[in-house]
Amino acid sequence: MPLVAGVDSSTQSCKVVVRDAETGRLVRSGAAPHPIGTEVDPEAWWAALEAAVAQAGGLDDVAALSVGGQQHGMVCLDAQGRVVRPALLWNDTRSAQDATDLVHALGDGDAAAGAAGWADAVGSVPVASITVSKLRWLARHEPEHAGRVAAVALPHDWLTWRLTGSSSIDTLTTDRSDASGTGYYDAVRGTYRRDLLALALDGRAGDSVGLVLPRVLGPSEAAGVGDPRRGWEHLVLGPGCGDNAGAALGLGLEVGQACLSIGTSGVVSAVSDTPTADPSGLVTGFADATGRFLPLACTLNGSRVLDAVRSILGVDHAELSRLALSAEPGAAGLVLVPYLEGERTPNLPTATGSLLGLTLESTTRANLARAAVEGLLGLMAGCVDAMTAQGITIEQVTLVGGGARSEAVRVLAPAILGVPVVVPPPGEAVADGAARQAAWVLSGSEQPPAWKADAVETRVSAPDGSTRDRYRRAATAVTSLVASAGTPL
């Protein structure tokens, strides 16, 4: 039976899974860490990929490979294919003002008109995380680097390109899902919007029309073969995908089903047959890895909310869950609004976290633990609300990511989110999706292989409207304070 490999090059690490192409059976796996920070030399991703591949037993017997990667990261290359500067990652918020400027620029100073224009053009309104905002930051703050840029790629594009062994930027490829997160690709019409790219670069990177952008491949179109100098010429390379599209493919999600991933960030994404164009910017109109759409709402804050409170209490995650579940719903009025690293949904890049409702009764270890879990889930419930406001049907949520390992999160999620929650066994959904894509490319079939799904646990609870409403009121108050102060709170 042929083997295929899937790669998840995420913010924190690189994971590799090797699976049977026909059945999806896991054969072996490997992992390696990435550097901490929001600015990373792409060579660190390559080193981690090599280490993870080695730990997974190498690629000698692997027939095809696809790379799923963190979205939005700005990888700028010069004409010789050299990296111009360290890549700015999705969670680097220094481009927040540039995102605002792009919205105003498209609307001739009218923010509402600009937001509507961006949403209609590419399905998304610029925020700090999206590539187009980072390119404007580069043009404004590092013109010496911007002037050297000959090609712009994303993390998964760059890794796939390195796997081929090519040094020509003209051979860069991407896929529809990852391209849809740049802010200058229209996934509905299947075209790059070079006029928006020019608006971002402001003329400082030379002729923006001439910049090389990766060729967008079809969902099962091969990107090439592996580097013969590494003995990888037998390796068929898939188009790859953005991490959220990879997770959806790995989980086998269908229309009406959403994925809630609690990792470094929190992400709610749902498979849809129709695109979205949300001028508020809360929902981004991404594409999936199969030819459909993947509207998505994302937070900057995810599992590290639990990490932070666990550290304050001096306990491990199991004890944090035990403490949280020992407290009453609502944590005696204690509410954590967890904007610990700024926030994207709502769009408050300069905000800080707030703890409200402190009283002698509420200030206990158990209530603080409960407030952390409820605050994180309240934040994610806001993403669900933003999605349904766009007409997206969410009948069920699949919970994945590091945060899904928390028993308290699994127990409280159905009540706070208000929908049944499916909890699959711990795994690597993004890498699994990339492996499934590799098997699809290898097979030449019209549809991805129907691998047998792992057994899942489904949790259902009566909706907890009071806790959710209490969080919503607290978050609204914090948002209003940030907006009025114009500075971090």
Side-chain angles (χ1 to χ4, degrees), residues 408-434:
V409 167
R410 296 195 299 268
V411 169
L412 301 185
I416 295 177
L417 298 176
V419 293
V421 171
V422 172
V423 184
E428 300 295 346
V430 177
D432 290 344

Side-chain angles (χ1 to χ4, degrees), residues 17-18 36 48 56 70 86 103 139 159 163 174 202 204 208 225 227 272 380 390 394 396 440 442 463:
V17 298
V18 177
I36 297 172
Q70 55 179 301
V103 173
L159 284 169
L163 283 163
T174 190
D202 200 23
R204 300 190 195 191
S208 63
V225 296
D227 186 352
S272 174
M380 301 316 305
Q390 292 299 308
I394 297 180
Q396 172 187 292
W440 188 9
L442 192 64

Side-chain angles (χ1 to χ4, degrees), residues 147-328:
R148 292 178 51 209
V149 176
V152 182
L154 299 169
H156 114 251
D157 310 342
W158 186 81
L159 284 169
T160 301
W161 182 67
R162 284 293 303 269
L163 283 163
T164 67
S166 176
S167 60
S168 169
I169 58 176
D170 293 325
T171 62
L172 284 163
T173 61
T174 190
D175 86 304
R176 199 169 146 267
S177 71
D178 220 3
S180 67
T182 61
Y184 47 83
Y185 179 77
D186 179 355
V188 176
R189 299 168 186 83
T191 59
Y192 281 114
R193 289 294 302 266
R194 290 183 177 270
D195 56 327
L196 300 180
L197 186 61
L199 184 67
L201 293 171
D202 200 23
R204 300 190 195 191
D207 181 7
S208 63
V209 175
L211 283 180
V212 172
L213 299 176
R215 182 168 63 90
V216 181
L217 303 176
S220 61
E221 183 179 354
V225 296
D227 186 352
R229 294 169 299 180
R230 304 290 296 268
W232 291 343
E233 61 269 27
H234 65 284
L235 193 65
V236 177
L237 298 174
C241 52
D243 51 3
N244 298 294
L249 184 59
L251 295 168
L253 297 187
E254 299 293 339
V255 174
Q257 299 176 336
C259 174
L260 170 50
S261 174
I262 305 179
T264 305
S265 61
V267 178
V268 176
S269 55
V271 175
S272 174
D273 285 328
T274 57
T276 57
D278 180 10
S280 76
L282 295 181
V283 175
T284 50
F286 294 160
D288 81 341
T290 70
R292 295 182 292 189
F293 297 92
L294 195 75
L296 176 151
C298 178
T299 67
L300 289 179
N301 297 279
S303 59
R304 284 185 289 188
V305 174
L306 305 181
D307 293 339
V309 175
R310 177 197 64 77
S311 178
I312 291 171
L313 294 175
V315 298
D316 61 17
H317 280 287
E319 179 64 9
L320 181 72
S321 282
R322 190 198 68 77
L323 284 169
L325 294 173
S326 72
E328 293 295 319

Side-chain angles (χ1 to χ4, degrees), residues 90-91 93 260-268 297-308 336-354 372 375-381 383 403 471:
W90 63 273
N91 55 348
T93 60
L260 170 50
S261 174
I262 305 179
T264 305
S265 61
V267 178
V268 176
C298 178
T299 67
L300 289 179
N301 297 279
S303 59
R304 284 185 289 188
V305 174
L306 305 181
D307 293 339
L336 174 64
V337 181
Y339 302 160
L340 305 185
E341 295 187 290
E343 194 41 76
R344 171 174 168 177
T345 305
N347 186 25
L348 300 169
T350 64
T352 55
S354 299
L376 174 58
L377 289 171
L379 181 64
M380 301 316 305
C383 291
Y471 174 83

